[in-house]
């Protein structure tokens, strides 16, 4: 039946082809037309899916706190969105595009991401009224790459604001509604993580304001004692996948002007590691990557073969992030970090002395980092 159908289709194409066109050209034209129609249907389906998610988000917010949604609708619909805030500190970025790739002191291109480090210290001084005023109107239907990130950011911003205002006694909120509709929150977090991965994979100068806000919202979400339970319970695998993607972005980047951009990616990894649950999994991932690279470098050194110099340069960002996470853990808990890393810790420490011994002459800085990490894993203290 399939052969007969194909034969019939071939005859139909031959008989219906316009004059001046060969059968092959006409077939290619028909195939292109069908493909374009299929793409159109896919685009329409994506738009409808985004609209369904937008309605679910509005419904969930309304169920959690109807008064907040009423107040939010009173705001000016033409208020500035995050997309208009392309740069927090307006600076000339032409020099960033022309530098040699060396990590110089001027980090202005990604300065806006650095503000996330101070976010938790400053957020408590902001009044609830200011929070309500700064939240953009709920506009969640994406029409571009930036807006595909803006949509989940706006929804999660509203969720966080309801949380803050309810803590201050200004709003009545029922967060038990999240139990019955965890899909909406998880889908929004998943979209945000995918969007951030896209931005980090191909960083722009200057960094879009939405990238900064996306990181801030994500960190606030996973550090909030109430909301993080809902997010991490359902989205832990997605968060771990996001961590893996960021690690691979750091390792695989070979562009000349990359160090400032990769520094911001490493900084985001460090911020994610502030969460105790994510910290343990992130330490394991970093230990695995550093160990594998050390073993590959040792093998290349022993047989005098070539090694990836770009990856060697990039690995130091992972080493610094790993050291920071281990050090923060021991400082916060005041106990040994020997329980962190699990099996990866055992694999990392196995034969580490021999690796350091063989690499110390040729690669002294990398060997020093390996030793510092091993000290933290063994004793929980920097010597």
């Amino acid at each position: 039946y399939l052969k007969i159908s194909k034969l019939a289709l071939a005859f139909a194409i031959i008989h219906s082809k316009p004059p001046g066109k060969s059968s092959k050209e006409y077939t290619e034209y028909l195939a292109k037309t069908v493909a374009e129609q299929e793409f159109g249907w896919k685009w329409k389906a994506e738009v409808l899916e985004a609209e369904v998610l937008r309605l679910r988000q509005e419904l969930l917010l309304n169920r959690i706190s109807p008064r907040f949604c009423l107040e939010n609708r009173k705001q000016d619909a033409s208020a500035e969105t995050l997309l208009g805030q392309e740069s927090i500190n307006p600076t000339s970025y032409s020099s960033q595009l022309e530098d040699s790739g060396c990590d110089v002191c001027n980090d202005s291109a990604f300065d806006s991401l650095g503000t996330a480090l101070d976010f938790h210290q400053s957020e408590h001084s902001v009044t609830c009224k200011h929070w309500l005023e700064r939240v953009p109107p709920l506009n969640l239907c994406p029409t571009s790459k930036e807006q595909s990130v803006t949509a989940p950011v706006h929804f999660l911003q509203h969720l966080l604001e309801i949380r803050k205002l309810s803590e201050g006694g200004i709003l009545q909120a029922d967060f038990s509604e999240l139990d019955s509709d965890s899909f909406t929150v998880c889908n929004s977090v998943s979209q945000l993580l995918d969007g951030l991965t896209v931005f980090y994979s191909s960083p722009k100068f200057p960094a879009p304001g939405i990238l900064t806000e996306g990181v801030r919202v994500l960190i606030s979400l996973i550090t909030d004692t109430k909301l993080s339970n809902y997010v991490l319970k359902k989205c832990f695998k997605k968060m771990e996948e996001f961590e893996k993607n960021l690690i691979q972005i750091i390792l695989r980047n070979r562009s000349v002007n990359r160090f400032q951009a990769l520094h911001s990616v490493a900084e985001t990894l460090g911020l994610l590691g502030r969460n105790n649950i994510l910290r343990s999994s992130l330490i394991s991932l970093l230990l695995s990557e550093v160990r594998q690279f050390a073993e590959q470098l040792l093998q290349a050194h022993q047989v005098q073969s070539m090694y990836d110099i770009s990856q060697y340069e990039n690995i130091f960002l992972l080493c610094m992030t790993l050291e920071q996470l281990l050090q923060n853990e021991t400082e916060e808990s005041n106990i040994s970090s020997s329980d962190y890393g699990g099996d990866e810790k055992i694999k990392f420490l196995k034969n580490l002395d021999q690796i350091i011994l063989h690499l110390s002459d040729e690669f002294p800085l990398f060997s020093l980092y390996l030793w510092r990490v091993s000290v933290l894993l063994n004793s929980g203290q920097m010597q």
Side-chain angles (χ1 to χ4, degrees):
Y1 177 79
L2 183 60
K3 289 181 179 179
I4 294 173
S5 299
K6 289 181 177 180
L7 188 61
L9 178 61
F11 275 113
I13 291 174
I14 292 171
H15 284 298
S16 62
K17 72 180 181 66
K21 269 193 177 181
S22 67
S23 298
K24 181 180 179 181
E25 291 174 341
Y26 187 52
T27 302
E28 291 174 349
Y29 165 76
L30 292 175
K32 183 180 179 181
T33 303
V34 171
E36 288 175 351
Q37 291 177 350
E38 184 179 352
F39 175 78
W41 281 111
K42 286 182 179 179
W43 181 81
K44 289 179 181 178
E46 290 174 358
V47 171
L48 291 174
E49 287 175 357
E51 178 64 13
V52 169
L53 180 60
R54 182 187 69 81
L55 293 173
R56 292 187 65 145
Q57 289 170 336
E58 286 188 343
L59 178 62
L60 179 60
L61 291 175
N62 188 67
R63 285 162 56 190
I64 293 175
S65 180
R67 183 188 163 193
F68 177 87
C69 295
L70 182 63
E71 291 292 331
N72 186 258
R73 289 193 182 97
K74 291 179 181 178
Q75 297 181 64
D76 185 8
S78 63
E80 278 190 355
T81 62
L82 293 172
L83 290 174
Q85 302 170 359
E86 284 298 314
S87 175
I88 293 178
N89 299 317
T91 320
S92 172
Y93 299 96
S94 58
S95 61
Q96 300 299 328
L97 297 176
E98 297 171 0
D99 75 26
S100 63
C102 297
D103 190 7
V104 294
C105 295
N106 183 5
D107 292 333
S108 58
F110 279 86
D111 247 0
S112 56
L113 288 177
T115 59
L117 288 168
D118 304 319
F119 179 61
H120 299 291
Q121 284 76 15
S122 62
E123 64 177 344
H124 297 294
S125 62
V126 183
T127 63
C128 292
K129 180 180 179 182
H130 176 67
W131 274 107
L132 187 59
E133 289 173 350
R134 72 180 285 273
V135 180
L138 199 59
N139 180 17
L140 302 166
C141 190
T143 57
S144 68
K145 187 178 78 169
E146 285 80 5
Q147 289 181 351
S148 67
V149 178
T150 306
V153 166
H154 284 185
F155 166 68
L156 296 172
Q157 271 186 323
H158 282 71
L159 198 62
L160 288 165
E161 303 323 310
I162 292 176
R163 174 89 168 107
K164 291 180 182 297
L165 294 174
S166 64
E167 278 186 341
I170 298 175
L171 282 179
Q172 294 294 323
D174 181 12
F175 284 95
S176 63
E177 294 291 339
L178 292 176
D179 292 322
S180 59
D181 192 9
S182 59
F183 167 83
T184 300
V185 177
C186 291
N187 202 332
S188 301
V189 172
S190 179
Q191 282 189 359
L192 175 57
L193 295 176
D194 290 339
L196 290 176
T197 302
V198 171
F199 273 115
Y200 278 127
S201 299
S202 53
K204 296 194 302 184
F205 291 87
I210 188 61
L211 180 62
T212 306
E213 198 62 30
V215 173
R216 285 181 174 181
V217 167
L218 182 62
I219 300 304
S220 297
L221 203 63
I222 64 175
T223 53
D224 188 286
T225 54
K226 193 175 187 69
L227 296 179
S228 63
N229 293 330
Y230 294 100
V231 175
L232 293 177
K233 187 189 302 181
K234 301 290 183 180
C235 306
F236 179 77
K237 288 186 177 180
K238 187 69 179 180
M239 295 289 293
E240 194 172 42
E241 180 186 338
F242 179 60
E243 294 172 345
K244 292 178 181 178
N245 289 335
L246 294 186
I247 290 173
Q248 292 307 312
I249 287 171
I250 291 176
L251 284 177
R252 295 176 181 176
N253 195 313
R254 290 173 173 79
S255 63
V256 176
N257 299 293
R258 69 181 185 272
F259 295 106
Q260 289 175 319
L262 294 186
H263 177 75
S264 70
V265 180
E267 191 173 73
T268 300
L269 281 173
L271 290 171
L272 292 173
R274 290 188 175 187
N275 181 277
N276 291 332
I277 299 176
L278 293 179
R279 181 186 302 162
S280 180
S281 66
L282 183 54
I283 286 175
S284 294
L285 291 173
L286 291 172
L287 284 173
S288 176
E289 291 294 341
V290 174
R291 173 184 58 82
Q292 290 178 41
F293 179 80
E295 292 173 351
Q296 292 169 9
L297 187 63
L298 175 61
Q299 184 178 4
H301 177 63
Q302 288 176 336
V303 299
Q304 295 297 305
S305 64
M306 297 293 292
Y307 64 93
D308 191 334
I309 184 64
S310 296
Q311 196 171 41
Y312 176 76
E313 294 171 343
N314 297 340
I315 199 70
F316 286 100
L317 284 169
L318 298 188
C319 290
M320 288 186 285
T321 304
L322 177 58
E323 184 181 7
Q324 174 193 336
L325 292 176
L326 290 171
Q327 201 163 13
N328 289 346
E329 172 57 31
T330 56
E331 288 174 357
E332 291 175 11
S333 60
N334 200 27
I335 59 172
S336 171
S337 60
S338 57
D339 293 334
Y340 278 79
D343 294 338
E344 285 302 332
K345 178 208 164 184
I346 298 173
K347 293 178 183 178
F348 183 87
L349 294 176
K350 185 179 180 181
N351 300 324
L352 183 64
D353 291 339
Q354 290 298 317
I355 294 176
I356 294 175
L357 179 64
H358 286 91
L359 295 180
S360 57
D361 289 338
E362 190 74 21
F363 308 98
L365 184 58
F366 180 60
S367 300
L368 177 62
Y369 268 107
L370 291 178
W371 175 78
R372 287 157 66 100
V373 170
S374 68
V375 169
L376 284 168
L377 286 172
N378 282 320
S379 67
Q381 297 178 357
M382 288 297 297
Q383 301 297 329

